[in-house]
Amino acid sequence: MNAATNADQVVIVGGGPVGMMLALNLAALGVCSTLINRETGPRWHPKGSTQNARTMEHYRRLGIVDAVRAVGLPRDLQTDVTYFTTLDGWELARLTMPSEGEKLAARAAAPADDQEVEPLYRCNQMHAEAVLFDQVQACALVDKRYGHECTSWREDADGVTAEIENLANGRRETIRGRYIAGCDGARGIVRQQLGYAYRGETPTMQPYLGGPMVSTYIRAADIPKVARTRCWQYWVVNTHIRANIVAVDGKSEFLFTTKLDRPDQEPDEARIAKAFRDAVGHDIAVEFVGHGTWTAGQFFVAEKFGAGRAWLAGDAVHLFTPTGGFGMNTGVDDAANLGWKLAAMVQGWGGAQLLDSYEAERQPVAFRNTGASKALNSNVNATPVAPEIGQTSAAGDAARRVAGEYLSGGRPEFASLGVQLGARYDSSSITVSDGTPPPADDLFDYRPSGVPGGRAPHVWIGERHEAGDSLFDRFGTGFTVLRLGRKPAKADGLLAAFAKKNVPVKTIDVDGAVARDLYERDIVVVRPDQHIAWRGNADPADAEAVVAQMIGQQKSN
């Protein structure tokens, strides 16, 4: 047994998108990690299809957004969501949404205060994971242990020790780190040893997205021809089947999802083929590539997100049904929040209260986002489906009109910018309040605000709206001090306090009125995860105390 003694690192268990993003966030701040994952590479089976606006901002911050945009749906594909009785039958409703190319063209022409610096992107999780995997493989600060399993771990006063096993040859090693992060899902070993339970609701049995589900990766190039349209999602709604067909590559590959009868039921290709035929309306050529089972209708949040030297992120702390596309994206935001705090602790500038702020900030967001997903899921299943919906008759016309009117109101599921960008940490011990009430939470509309605790409002600095033209592009990897207005205010006290505490910081002067109007103060401190920590019109009277609070070295008053 070999002993690894690199204590100044974070041990990450779970190499899915959340674990990889945590490793890359740590690396951006110069902190090493060991990434342990059972599989030898990313899983090649489609899952969620949405990289939301906040996730895309994190990709941009890490310098990988262009690589992700290169692997999603074709730029000319309209990302419409269309509902049918069967694909060869009646179209019930269509939610018209722009192609990726149209979104980027709109961004190029947007005003300086436009908040969608990186518009939501329809890209299947397996394609995004492949990009993250390549980035991790190229990162010298990440010790990659794919094809390994963490068999046990223990914590002591100085760090953690993890026992790992190479699944190919049985070779065992001991890995040492300052902290351990469980990004290995609901059944992961980190959460199991911590003994944390989930809080929430068991799945409700309902016509769709409630109970056991099967998602089948298929190749069926004739789907757009049969449906008489190209779009991103094809829904089938009738009296005997509800199914969803999502474009994976925008050409011939799709993910077909429908219900199973029982939780213990294994995917039966003959039954799935019949369900697919029922959804299409007649036989077409189809190749079944693979199947995955899962449970829909679950909305769970862990009772704790970590303690001491062990912390959790992603599915280890929250479980979603995919309505809204919030699951993986919430996990990516977890990684951004936890990453800089673990880096601060490893590098010695984080205070005793800093890691506790992770749960205080992210657990309310998890409850908020799972609640939004639950509400949207209920809407999907409340679709009125009369027995006559598939008939060629006046009654059939009426049934389809009623269903279509209901389904036409489903746009919020696909346009929830408030969920994507609106997470706030107002009550966090490391947010320095100035007494201004935050904007009201809205799941669908995002209102930029300079009130401490929220995402820093975005401003375009350059006219071309390209790489380097965003205010976000100029933020530092650590803290950023913004000095706003035509005559920048002095922030010498803050900068001296950051330097004294060895906190990485960068100063940016922005002289335009747009930024000053959005932030409403002359000086603003932005955290490494792009949330506002403090703002004011002059150096604080006790700058050292303010900086100490931001990094968890003292509790808020």
Side-chain angles (χ1 to χ4, degrees):
M1 181 181 294
N2 293 334
T5 58
N6 182 10
D8 290 332
Q9 67 163 343
V10 176
V11 178
I12 303 172
V13 183
V18 175
M20 289 190 286
M21 282 295 286
L22 180 57
L24 293 172
N25 274 281
L26 289 166
L29 284 161
V31 173
C32 296
S33 63
T34 293
L35 187 59
I36 304 161
N37 195 64
R38 286 183 56 87
E39 288 80 17
T40 57
R43 293 181 181 177
W44 202 246
H45 185 88
K47 295 182 74 176
S49 296
T50 298
Q51 312 295 309
N52 77 19
R54 185 64 177 142
T55 293
M56 295 298 286
E57 288 179 359
H58 290 311
Y59 293 157
R60 184 180 183 119
R61 177 172 54 83
L62 295 171
I64 61 176
V65 71
D66 289 341
V68 173
R69 286 199 180 276
V71 298
L73 294 177
R75 290 203 172 185
D76 65 342
L77 178 68
Q78 296 297 129
T79 58
D80 295 358
V81 177
T82 311
Y83 298 86
F84 302 86
T85 53
T86 57
L87 290 191
D88 66 357
W90 286 276
E91 181 177 309
L92 297 170
R94 177 183 294 262
L95 305 181
T96 303
M97 287 181 278
S99 69
E100 304 304 339
E102 288 170 337
K103 292 179 196 175
L104 295 180
R107 180 181 71 176
D113 62 353
D114 183 65
Q115 294 305 303
E116 292 188 72
V117 57
E118 286 294 344
L120 172 151
Y121 188 43
R122 302 301 184 189
C123 171
N124 200 275
Q125 182 176 321
M126 74 176 188
H127 293 140
E129 278 194 51
V131 172
L132 293 176
F133 182 78
D134 289 344
Q135 295 294 323
V136 165
Q137 295 303 305
C139 183
L141 295 181
V142 182
D143 182 4
K144 284 75 70 172
R145 301 302 183 96
Y146 281 80
H148 288 70
E149 180 179 18
C150 178
T151 57
S152 67
W153 64 273
R154 61 187 182 275
E155 176 181 346
D156 56 52
D158 299 318
V160 294
T161 302
E163 307 294 339
I164 69 171
E165 179 180 345
N166 185 316
L167 297 177
N169 58 27
R171 182 172 176 263
R172 296 187 176 187
E173 291 182 69
T174 300
I175 303 293
R176 184 74 178 159
R178 293 279 297 280
Y179 295 90
I180 190 168
C183 304
D184 48 347
R187 297 181 177 87
I189 191 170
V190 182
R191 180 174 162 272
Q192 284 183 357
Q193 285 193 209
L194 288 170
Y196 297 160
Y198 283 116
R199 294 159 53 189
E201 299 180 16
T202 55
T204 301
M205 299 302 291
Q206 50 193 17
Y208 189 75
L209 291 179
M213 305 289 295
V214 58
S215 293
T216 300
Y217 185 14
I218 64 173
R219 294 191 179 99
D222 289 339
I223 283 176
K225 179 180 178 181
V226 173
R228 307 167 300 281
T229 186
R230 291 176 72 222
C231 58
W232 166 53
Q233 283 198 30
Y234 305 79
W235 284 83
V236 174
V237 180
N238 59 49
T239 55
H240 57 281
I241 189 171
R242 297 195 188 185
N244 181 223
I245 303 172
V246 181
V248 172
D249 67 349
K251 300 172 185 176
S252 63
E253 296 184 355
F254 298 87
L255 187 66
F256 172 64
T257 302
T258 191
K259 280 199 68 175
L260 293 172
D261 295 329
R262 306 181 314 276
D264 61 346
Q265 185 178 355
E266 293 294 324
D268 181 298
E269 202 154 285
R271 291 173 63 93
I272 294 170
K274 181 182 183 305
F276 180 71
R277 183 171 59 251
D278 289 344
V280 173
H282 65 270
D283 283 317
I284 64 171
V286 59
E287 175 189 354
F288 296 102
V289 181
H291 311 283
T293 59
W294 50 286
T295 302
Q298 55 187 4
F299 308 97
F300 293 114
V301 177
E303 60 184 352
K304 286 186 63 62
F305 279 33
R309 295 187 177 275
W311 296 86
L312 305 170
D315 286 354
V317 286
H318 41 68
L319 294 175
F320 289 76
T321 286
T323 41
F326 303 145
M328 184 210 76
N329 292 292
T330 302
V332 168
D333 218 17
D334 292 342
N337 187 298
L338 181 60
W340 77 266
K341 294 171 182 177
L342 288 173
M345 301 307 291
V346 171
Q347 292 174 337
W349 51 270
Q353 286 83 42
L354 184 59
L355 282 174
D356 289 340
S357 73
Y358 169 64
E359 178 181 306
E361 293 179 351
R362 294 304 299 168
Q363 190 180 57
V365 173
F367 278 116
R368 167 187 184 259
N369 291 2
T370 54
S373 180
K374 178 182 177 181
L376 294 171
N377 187 57
S378 298
N379 291 343
V380 168
N381 281 282
T383 305
V385 182
E388 301 84 6
I389 197 167
Q391 296 178 5
T392 305
S393 64
D397 291 341
R400 289 186 290 275
R401 184 170 57 253
V402 170
E405 289 174 354
Y406 179 86
L407 292 167
S408 295
R411 187 172 301 276
E413 178 183 348
F414 307 102
S416 52
L417 196 62
V419 174
Q420 298 173 50
L421 302 182
R424 297 194 57 86
Y425 309 142
D426 299 298
S427 60
S428 172
S429 64
I430 64 170
T431 296
V432 186
S433 173
D434 66 357
T436 306
D441 189 28
D442 189 307
L443 299 179
F444 306 116
D445 293 323
Y446 168 68
R447 300 179 182 88
S449 170
V451 176
R455 164 190 176 268
H458 175 256
V459 178
W460 287 109
I461 304 298
E463 294 182 0
R464 296 173 63 87
H465 296 191
E466 295 178 352
D469 289 340
S470 165
L471 175 62
F472 289 179
D473 296 338
R474 306 186 184 190
F475 286 173
T477 55
F479 280 80
T480 299
V481 174
L482 296 176
R483 302 195 306 170
L484 306 173
R486 295 189 180 279
K487 188 177 180 180
K490 290 185 177 180
D492 297 349
L494 282 169
L495 295 173
F498 277 120
K500 183 176 180 179
K501 295 179 180 296
N502 296 314
V503 179
V505 65
K506 178 181 180 181
T507 304
I508 301 175
D509 292 344
V510 183
D511 62 7
V514 175
R516 178 59 178 76
D517 290 346
L518 279 170
Y519 285 89
E520 299 182 308
R521 298 292 187 276
D522 295 336
I523 307 172
V524 180
V525 177
V526 180
R527 304 179 348 177
D529 59 359
Q530 298 179 340
H531 278 251
I532 298 174
W534 174 91
R535 68 176 181 174
N537 287 323
D539 252 341
D542 190 346
E544 284 195 30
V546 169
V547 170
Q549 183 178 337
M550 294 178 201
I551 59 176
Q553 290 187 0
Q554 67 180 38
K555 294 183 178 179
S556 58
N557 295 327

